[in-house]
Amino acid sequence: MATMTSEPLTLPSLGFGTYKLRGEEGRSSVTTALELGYRLIDAAYNYENEGTVGAGIRDAVTAGTVSRDEVIYTTKLPGRYQRREDALDTVAESVWRAGIGPVDLYLIHWPNPGQGLYVEAWKALIEARDRGLVRHIGVCNFLPEHLSRLEDETGVLPEVNQIELHPSFPQNEPLAGAPEGALAWNTEHGIITESWSPLGRGTSLDSEPVRAAAAAHDATPGQVILAWHRALGAVAIPKASSRARQQENLESLQLELTDAEIAAITALGRPDGRLNDQDPAVYEEF
Ligand SMILES: NC(=O)c1ccc[n+]([C@@H]2O[C@H](COP(=O)([O-])OP(=O)(O)OC[C@H]3O[C@@H](n4cnc5c(N)ncnc54)[C@H](OP(=O)(O)O)[C@@H]3O)[C@@H](O)[C@H]2O)c1
């Protein structure tokens, strides 16, 4: 299904997460990430850091480190604002808070199926895009059944689906209408998968296959996991406060794992491997 943007979205293989980055420290973390070479920056209305992230991006642009049009600034619509009027006001508020012009990628944060408003929210994002407030639109945490409904009711599929994906939960388990799992379903439908909590917030760094691959490649466990995401075809958005870790994570782009290493890490997956049991079929966030 074609989307209606003038140019298709392409993303770098690695992005930068900003959950919990706020204030002066958060601002300088974002500027440093841009200096080092990150171009995809992931914020959210509910992280209460759109101002912080916008300021960090403006600092980097002012310093000449990056031009505004090279940055893909992402933010997200909270569950409590899925009604059309609320959604359009929230998008405008996001734009003003960051202060860097139209948002490059705007995502619905959670489908909240019990609330029954995600199609209305999606129509509002289509409208926001058509009005020029945002450039590209997508979703987070949408299951294939939610995505199919968007396509059936609007004819527009999201360009991105940002989902929980890490070694404990590789998103390869069969789901209703998606026998190979959510990652494969997204790919088959031309939707870019972004992995949230790609390092599992640290939970898989110590696992045997990750340590073995790290030793074999003279790499760090974090680099191995990020190279694994790339091998699966998912865009990881690790959060890292310090310059050293930001750099470490970027260097994962030089690491190529073997098929056996990739398979061994994927085999760490468990049906109950979500970090906080947030199954989008039932979990809701506002
Ligand atoms: N759409 C959604 O519903 C959703 C949900 C959750 C997250 N997200 C997005 O995804 C981003 C990433 O997820 P996350 O922040 O939950 O978890 P994460 O990126 O998996 O892990 C972040 C943690 O790992 C540490 N870390 C970073 N690089 C490391 C390395 N190389 N080795 C060891 N530890 C390392 C960080 O510490 P320091 O910061 O101290 O370096 C931080 O404590 C978020 O920031 C947010 O943008 C989206």
Side-chain angles (χ1 to χ4, degrees):
M1 168 55 56
T3 55
M4 295 173 68
T5 41
S6 46
E7 61 204 73
L9 178 67
T10 54
L11 295 182
S13 310
L14 189 72
F16 184 69
T18 70
Y19 178 51
K20 290 196 186 291
L21 291 180
R22 299 183 64 213
E24 278 303 334
E25 250 180 70
R27 172 181 181 171
S28 67
S29 239
V30 169
T31 307
T32 304
L34 290 162
E35 265 171 40
L36 292 174
Y38 289 91
R39 293 294 176 261
L40 171 64
I41 312 286
D42 185 74
Y45 193 97
N46 270 353
Y47 303 165
E48 297 182 322
N49 69 359
E50 291 171 307
T52 298
V53 174
I57 294 171
R58 284 199 305 278
D59 288 349
V61 170
T62 305
T65 310
V66 70
S67 67
R68 170 66 188 92
D69 59 8
E70 290 175 277
V71 180
I72 302 170
Y73 169 62
T74 308
T75 191
K76 315 189 186 89
L77 180 73
R80 65 187 178 283
Y81 295 139
Q82 289 191 346
R83 288 194 184 280
R84 176 183 173 275
E85 294 292 324
D86 289 338
L88 288 168
D89 285 349
T90 303
V91 171
E93 182 68 30
S94 292
V95 170
W96 295 328
R97 287 182 184 190
I100 51 173
V103 172
D104 303 293
L105 177 60
Y106 210 103
L107 310 175
I108 298 177
H109 207 146
W110 284 88
N112 287 8
Q115 188 174 235
L117 291 172
Y118 65 81
V119 175
E120 181 169 337
W122 184 240
K123 287 178 181 167
L125 289 199
I126 293 169
E127 195 176 334
R129 186 189 62 190
D130 292 346
R131 288 196 203 168
L133 290 167
V134 307
R135 296 201 168 94
H136 298 275
I137 53 176
V139 296
C140 307
N141 302 306
F142 272 49
L143 295 169
E145 69 202 60
H146 306 137
L147 294 161
S148 296
R149 195 165 156 218
L150 295 186
E151 186 174 26
D152 290 347
E153 297 199 26
T154 68
V156 182
L157 268 176
E159 291 184 90
V160 169
N161 189 14
Q162 184 184 112
I163 55 179
E164 178 173 1
L165 202 166
H166 43 73
S168 305
F169 202 71
Q171 295 277 7
N172 58 354
E173 282 288 313
L175 291 164
E180 292 168 49
L183 172 60
W185 197 95
N186 288 345
T187 307
E188 278 159 24
H189 290 79
I191 299 171
I192 300 169
T193 297
E194 288 186 348
S195 309
W196 66 252
S197 295
L199 299 168
R201 297 194 177 142
T203 50
S204 309
L205 294 166
D206 252 352
S207 64
E208 201 282 320
V210 171
R211 288 161 67 102
H217 294 276
D218 194 17
T220 67
Q223 289 169 337
V224 166
I225 293 178
L226 296 174
W228 171 80
H229 285 273
R230 203 174 75 251
L232 296 185
V235 175
I237 48 168
K239 174 257 182 183
S241 320
S242 68
R243 172 184 282 266
R245 272 195 175 154
Q246 292 175 9
Q247 179 65 35
E248 174 187 334
N249 292 344
L250 259 189
E251 286 172 8
S252 69
L253 293 171
Q254 272 78 58
L255 176 58
E256 297 293 340
L257 300 176
T258 65
D259 290 346
E261 289 165 339
I262 295 162
I265 297 169
T266 305
L268 292 170
R270 307 183 317 265
D272 65 347
R274 293 185 190 274
L275 295 174
N276 292 308
D277 199 22
Q278 294 169 323
D279 177 354
V282 285
Y283 175 79
E284 301 200 307
E285 199 168 289
F286 297 89

